[in-house]
Every structure is written in structure tokens, then in C-alpha cells.
Amino acid sequence: MTGPVIVGVDGGAAGEDALVLGRWAASVLGAPLVVAVVRPAPAALGSGRVDAEWIADRDRAAAAVLEGARAVLSGSPDDAAFRIVASSSAAHGLHDLAEELRAELIVVGSGRAGPRDRLFAGSTADRLLAGSVCPVAVAPSASETPPGAQGRIGVAYVDTPDGRAACEAAARLAVRTGSRIRLTTVVADADAALPFLVGQDAERAFLDTARETYEQALARAAESVAGVTVDWEIRVGDVVDQLAELEDVDVLFCGSRGYGPARRVLLGGVSARLVRRARRPVVVVPRSG
């Protein structure tokens, strides 16, 4: 059975963005939808006692958040389950729930400003990327383009295990949605890539060789995807700037960092900055090894 899509909400606008993306993802993946809010776990006051009144207050606050989520999802033909999770942090609680339910995907919002009475401070998206056991999708703030409107799935591609894992995950979604795939590789311009070389001829020869290598890798990756139309492009510039500006894709898949435990998403320099700035939803895929 396909694991669920888990949407983390906190009562703010970012949670609404995540609900829209999560409902679409669950629909196209044929997966159950689970909406979760994480409240602080009780801390002992001493001698094993906890503040029962404080716990009840946090439960009421969490229940109010879920009621707001139900209102956002009202009219949806898909059934959703709603869960309150007690944990030391929102990210930790969503991690635990994903492991318990063998989740297909976790979806959160990217908004920095949360509600005044939010249950946890800080960025849940950043912390989730530091160790999730399944792909993590981050919904951009107040996007005016509904999920699925572009008919194209983007992949930030590099010829590494992480890049190939991102391509495979994107292909699974593209097959279900009938979308095209675009592979994008971003390379630094000559000034940034070759500060140690003197002379335009040397720089041009090096970049031509590098570009040929990238083109071959992209062509191989495109040929490896069956049943889906794939094209590719090479962009020149800052990798985050170039990827963040992509607007003609429904979602952008990228790999996690190339080291650390298998099946864990690790917070990479590109993915960490990209989820804060991207115009379209970003899905960070864990290593498959």
C-alpha cells in the first residue's frame, strides 16, 4: 500500500500553501492524505508531574489549527486524516510520524512569518531537510499558480547518486500526471569557475570540455527515463539564482547532499537556500542507497 502524504500545518498562511500542494500530491500519487499539527511535548515539573492545564491548552491550540485545515480542505473529494503529535519540535514530530506511517512525502510551507500563537518558533522546513526519511516538499509562499498547471516536472540534475535519485522520483510523478520532464544543470560562469586561469583561450577550452561532459550526462539521463518526454538545458550562473527563478515547472526535484546515511535527506547548501527563494515547489529527495 502506498504510504501517505503528510502535510504539516501550524495555523499560518504557510500551512495553507502546504495543504494546497499536499492535496494535489496525494491525488496524483494515489496516496492517503494526513494533516498533522505538532504540539510541544509535556515537560515534567518535578517528581514525574506535568502541568495538566498547560497540556490541555496546547491540545486546544492544536485542535484549532486542525479545524482551520479542515476548512481549507472543505469541498475536497478526497478524505483526509487529521493527527495531533506531541514532540520536542515540529520537525522531530513530523519525522516520527513519517517513520510510523512510512510516508511517501512530507509537505510543509516555506513562509517565514508564522501566527503569533504558533506552537513552535523557527523554520520547520530547514529542520526537516536535516534528516527526513522520505522526500520533503516545500510549498512557496502564496503561489498564484495551482499545482499541475504547467504540465512539466523540473529536475535540478547533476550526474551523482543524488541527482539520479531526484530524476527517478520526478519520473514516477511524471508518469502518473502525464507531464514532461525538464533536466536543468547549472554551471558557474567563466569568472567564477576559473579565477586561476589566465587567457581566454584556456578558459574557453576548459569550459567547452566541461559543457560537453554535462551535455553527455544530461543526454544519458534523458534516455534512461522511459515513458516520459524529457528535454534538458544547461544554464550558466549562480546555481540557486538560476533554479529559484524557474517558473515553468509544477515542482522542482533536487537531490540531497552526497554524503551521510543512506535514505536520509541531508541539509545541502543548494537545497537549503533554494527552498527559501524558489518560485515553484521544491522536492528534496533522499539518497536511495
Side-chain angles (χ1 to χ4, degrees):
M1 181 178 179
T2 301
V5 171
I6 296 174
V7 179
V9 295
D10 65 359
E16 295 184 15
D17 297 327
L19 285 167
V20 173
L21 179 60
R23 178 170 54 188
W24 173 78
S27 175
V28 298
L29 292 172
L33 179 63
V34 176
V35 181
V37 59
V38 184
R39 69 155 177 81
L45 298 175
S47 302
R49 296 185 302 108
V50 297
D51 188 336
E53 183 176 347
W54 180 85
I55 294 174
D57 177 74
R58 295 296 82 194
D59 276 333
R60 285 193 294 270
V65 171
L66 290 185
E67 283 303 312
R70 286 190 178 92
V72 172
L73 294 174
S74 64
S76 171
D78 303 313
D79 293 331
F82 296 85
R83 294 280 297 267
I84 296 176
V85 180
S87 185
S88 58
S89 73
H92 193 181
L94 293 174
H95 283 157
D96 289 345
L97 185 61
E99 287 193 310
E100 174 192 340
L101 301 180
R102 299 178 181 272
E104 185 82 8
L105 180 70
I106 299 174
V107 183
V108 293
S110 63
R112 282 297 187 248
R116 182 176 302 176
D117 59 347
R118 68 186 305 171
L119 298 172
F120 289 101
S123 171
T124 299
D126 286 352
R127 293 171 181 168
L128 269 173
L129 293 177
S132 179
V133 296
C134 67
V136 177
V138 183
S141 178
S143 175
E144 297 181 356
T145 305
Q150 302 293 344
R152 177 183 287 118
I153 307 297
V155 180
Y157 188 76
V158 287
D159 192 19
T160 65
D162 301 294
R164 291 189 286 273
C167 186
E168 291 168 3
R172 289 193 292 272
L173 180 61
V175 167
R176 286 183 173 272
T177 59
S179 301
R180 304 180 301 279
I181 290 179
R182 170 161 294 166
L183 308 178
T184 300
T185 291
V186 181
V187 298
D189 58 29
D191 291 339
L194 302 166
F196 54 89
L197 291 180
V198 178
Q200 293 184 350
D201 291 342
E203 292 183 356
R204 186 177 300 109
F206 182 92
L207 290 174
D208 287 346
T209 300
R211 185 179 185 90
E212 183 178 352
T213 300
Y214 297 136
E215 289 177 348
Q216 291 173 351
L218 286 163
R220 287 195 302 270
E223 292 173 357
S224 71
V225 181
V228 178
T229 300
V230 183
D231 60 31
W232 53 265
E233 64 176 350
I234 296 177
R235 294 188 170 212
V236 178
D238 178 81
V239 61
V240 175
D241 287 344
Q242 292 294 321
L243 295 176
E245 291 300 315
L246 293 177
E247 293 188 282
D248 60 346
V249 298
D250 290 314
V251 295
L252 176 64
F253 283 77
C254 65
S256 58
R257 290 175 71 170
Y259 59 88
R263 299 302 304 166
R264 294 275 172 175
V265 172
L266 299 181
L267 186 61
V270 171
S271 59
R273 290 181 291 150
L274 183 58
V275 298
R276 300 186 184 101
R277 295 173 49 189
R279 297 178 181 272
R280 305 299 299 140
V282 175
V283 180
V284 182
V285 181
R287 303 206 308 157
S288 57

